[in-house]
Amino acid sequence: MASSKRRPERRQEPLSRERIVAAAVGLLDTVGESGLTFRALAERLATGPGAIYWHVTGKTELLVAAIDAVIAPALAGDDTGTTPREAIRALALGVFDAIDAHPWVGTTLAQLPRTGQSPMLRVFERVGRQVRALHVPEAAQFTAASALLSYILGVAGQNAANTRAARPDTDRTEFLDAVASAWGELDPDEYPFTRDVAGQLREHDDRAEFLAGIDLILTGITAGRTRS
Amino acid sequence: MASSKRRPERRQEPLSRERIVAAAVGLLDTVGESGLTFRALAERLATGPGAIYWHVTGKTELLVAAIDAVIAPALAGDDTGTTPREAIRALALGVFDAIDAHPWVGTTLAQLPRTGQSPMLRVFERVGRQVRALHVPEAAQFTAASALLSYILGVAGQNAANTRAARPDTDRTEFLDAVASAWGELDPDEYPFTRDVAGQLREHDDRAEFLAGIDLILTGITAGRTRS
DNA sequence: ACCTGAACACCGTTCAAGT
DNA sequence: ACCTGAACACCGTTCAAGT
């Protein structure tokens, strides 16, 4: 009786956008994209599903907010004191790591338009600034930044697809081994290249591979510079 | 009475995988990804939803088959008599055009694993063969082909996102204008790059932009060659 | 062998009613 | 102002029953 007065048993913090988004991220991380349900979310927050709609307009907004929360650290880095090339690599790796830690981001991020308050726009801006710092000619800056962004998004999607395709109890190397074996048994007439390259898949490092792709594009971006 | 004997009124062709997939593509093209429903599909085919499951294991398989049908023409091209560089450009453009004509492909394609009988694997193989024809060193072939593929997928996803973000009644230029205006009004302290680059967006051509990105990567791939 | 369609176990979202 | 939870209009998938 005494306790009910000043200490509210702390069993029910008020609902808030932050608590909802945090719970959503937790759900996505543990149960995956299909696990994010208004009912499951409501249960985690000890309310009814309708309560969530007072703080959030719908599932899309919830998903964007979740992505934003997870991608934010990658954009928090300080670019001063590094070369633009290093800054782009660090930024790209930050996004890659965020997606690697939260595979559901890859699936959704690539589908967000580069408009409004989209996290996409923030990544684009960061990439673009460094492209400019590389002294890419004005007219080519948009193309260069877009290409880098598209590549990052493409890898993100592939990564998410691989995570989903892998049995939940297998780790990365096991999965790569399985894919490599499957590739190795493909029809040599139909898939000569994939077959031959299967071996490289076995000893490859997703992160290093991703970075190698970034470097490829960076090389392409800066290669033409001396000619202009 | 006479007609019911030899001419079966032709009102009910038997169901088949091809008919189902064709109807699915039609539904996706007209009503979009959210319009592909087993109930809607059944209605189009004049049956119950359960009938479809006799020919197709589930929605995932249906989606993959639909993508396959739409992407196939892009892979049918003949590569003989062109340079590898031209072959890669043509292949990439083929995929781009297929996705542009069927925006729902972009959303889903990027999420398919590069395994089994996935259309992804077929695109990868085609890209890879031309990478090899470019005389890229063995160890770098996987990276080069993967980078090209990831870029293509990334653009595909962005394209689909843009199509979805655009009001259904606006055309491409109207949409780009709207985005460019929005970018132009961004906070100059937070989005200096995006703001400045907004103008380039207005007069840009998606297809040309896409190809420019491919060229960037191709340049990156071939740039190091003379050094090795 | 192939089709039918009711039924199951879910969804996102709304909204009257409560505090 | 904020929460509740039943209700609405859907889903994908299954499966007994039909032909």
Side-chain angles (χ1 to χ4, degrees):
Chain A
M1 251 219 240
S3 73
S4 73
K5 263 267 173 70
R6 38 188 42 140
R7 281 194 292 133
E9 214 76 12
R10 96 177 190 315
R11 77 151 170 278
Q12 196 73 319
E13 264 179 282
L15 223 46
S16 66
R17 225 187 104 97
E18 296 94 77
R19 277 191 68 215
I20 292 173
V21 172
V25 170
L27 221 37
L28 286 162
D29 282 345
T30 53
V31 210
E33 204 167 354
S34 68
L36 180 61
T37 299
F38 275 82
R39 271 163 253 257
L41 199 53
E43 200 183 1
R44 259 202 182 205
L45 296 164
T47 33
I52 298 166
Y53 281 87
W54 205 93
H55 300 272
V56 144
T57 58
K59 194 167 187 179
T60 307
E61 192 195 312
L62 191 57
L63 226 29
V64 173
I67 291 174
D68 234 351
V70 154
I71 226 80
L75 303 175
D78 188 5
D79 293 337
T80 57
T82 46
T83 65
R85 194 184 169 95
E86 275 314 311
I88 289 174
R89 291 171 114 242
L91 175 60
L93 268 184
V95 175
F96 179 87
D97 287 340
I99 289 164
D100 201 48
H102 312 273
W104 48 271
V105 176
T107 323
T108 332
L109 186 62
Q111 298 175 35
L112 290 181
R114 227 180 297 170
T115 52
Q117 272 308 307
S118 163
M120 282 314 314
L121 199 60
R122 276 190 278 283
V123 181
F124 179 68
E125 169 69 27
R126 284 307 217 77
V127 172
R129 276 186 228 167
Q130 298 306 326
V131 163
R132 178 171 284 178
L134 274 174
H135 300 301
V136 172
E138 193 89 30
Q141 288 173 6
F142 179 82
T143 302
S146 291
L148 283 164
L149 189 66
S150 291
Y151 170 75
I152 293 170
L153 293 178
V155 174
Q158 283 290 100
N159 240 43
N162 286 339
T163 313
R164 200 172 342 173
R167 307 247 110 275
D169 52 336
T170 56
D171 66 2
R172 204 61 169 184
T173 24
E174 278 182 280
F175 174 71
L176 287 177
D177 265 14
V179 175
S181 300
W183 283 12
E185 279 156 25
L186 288 167
D187 180 353
D189 288 334
E190 260 192 292
Y191 294 98
F193 174 74
T194 308
R195 237 183 91 99
D196 285 357
V197 110
Q200 294 181 40
L201 190 65
R202 218 179 285 266
E203 64 224 40
H204 106 150
D205 171 5
D206 285 340
R207 224 175 103 102
E209 202 71 45
F210 168 71
L211 209 52
I214 292 283
D215 285 341
L216 232 40
I217 302 177
L218 283 173
T219 303
I221 289 173
T222 50
R225 211 181 356 169
T226 51
R227 294 217 311 247
S228 69
Chain B
M1 252 219 241
S3 73
S4 74
K5 264 270 174 68
R6 39 187 42 139
R7 281 194 291 137
E9 214 75 11
R10 97 175 187 317
R11 78 147 168 280
Q12 197 72 319
E13 263 178 284
L15 222 45
S16 66
R17 224 187 105 97
E18 296 93 77
R19 276 191 69 218
I20 292 172
V21 172
V25 170
L27 221 37
L28 286 161
D29 282 345
T30 54
V31 210
E33 203 168 354
S34 68
L36 180 61
T37 298
F38 275 82
R39 270 164 255 257
L41 199 54
E43 201 183 1
R44 260 201 182 207
L45 296 164
T47 33
I52 299 166
Y53 281 87
W54 206 92
H55 300 272
V56 144
T57 59
K59 194 166 187 180
T60 307
E61 191 194 312
L62 191 56
L63 227 28
V64 173
I67 291 174
D68 233 350
V70 154
I71 227 80
L75 302 176
D78 188 5
D79 293 337
T80 57
T82 46
T83 64
R85 194 185 169 93
E86 275 315 310
I88 289 175
R89 290 171 115 243
L91 174 61
L93 269 184
V95 175
F96 179 87
D97 288 339
I99 289 165
D100 201 47
H102 313 274
W104 49 272
V105 177
T107 322
T108 332
L109 186 62
Q111 298 174 36
L112 291 181
R114 225 179 300 169
T115 51
Q117 272 307 308
S118 163
M120 282 314 315
L121 198 59
R122 275 190 279 282
V123 180
F124 180 68
E125 169 69 27
R126 283 308 215 77
V127 172
R129 276 185 229 167
Q130 299 306 326
V131 163
R132 178 171 284 179
L134 274 175
H135 301 300
V136 172
E138 194 90 29
Q141 289 174 4
F142 179 82
T143 302
S146 292
L148 283 165
L149 187 66
S150 292
Y151 170 75
I152 294 170
L153 294 178
V155 174
Q158 284 288 100
N159 240 43
N162 286 339
T163 314
R164 202 175 339 175
R167 305 249 109 276
D169 51 336
T170 56
D171 66 2
R172 205 64 173 179
T173 25
E174 278 182 280
F175 174 70
L176 287 177
D177 265 13
V179 175
S181 300
W183 283 14
E185 280 158 25
L186 287 167
D187 180 354
D189 289 334
E190 261 192 291
Y191 294 97
F193 174 75
T194 309
R195 236 183 93 99
D196 286 356
V197 111
Q200 294 180 41
L201 190 65
R202 218 178 287 263
E203 66 225 40
H204 105 151
D205 172 5
D206 285 339
R207 225 176 103 102
E209 202 71 45
F210 169 72
L211 210 52
I214 292 282
D215 285 341
L216 232 40
I217 302 178
L218 284 173
T219 304
I221 290 173
T222 50
R225 211 179 356 168
T226 50
R227 294 216 312 247
S228 67

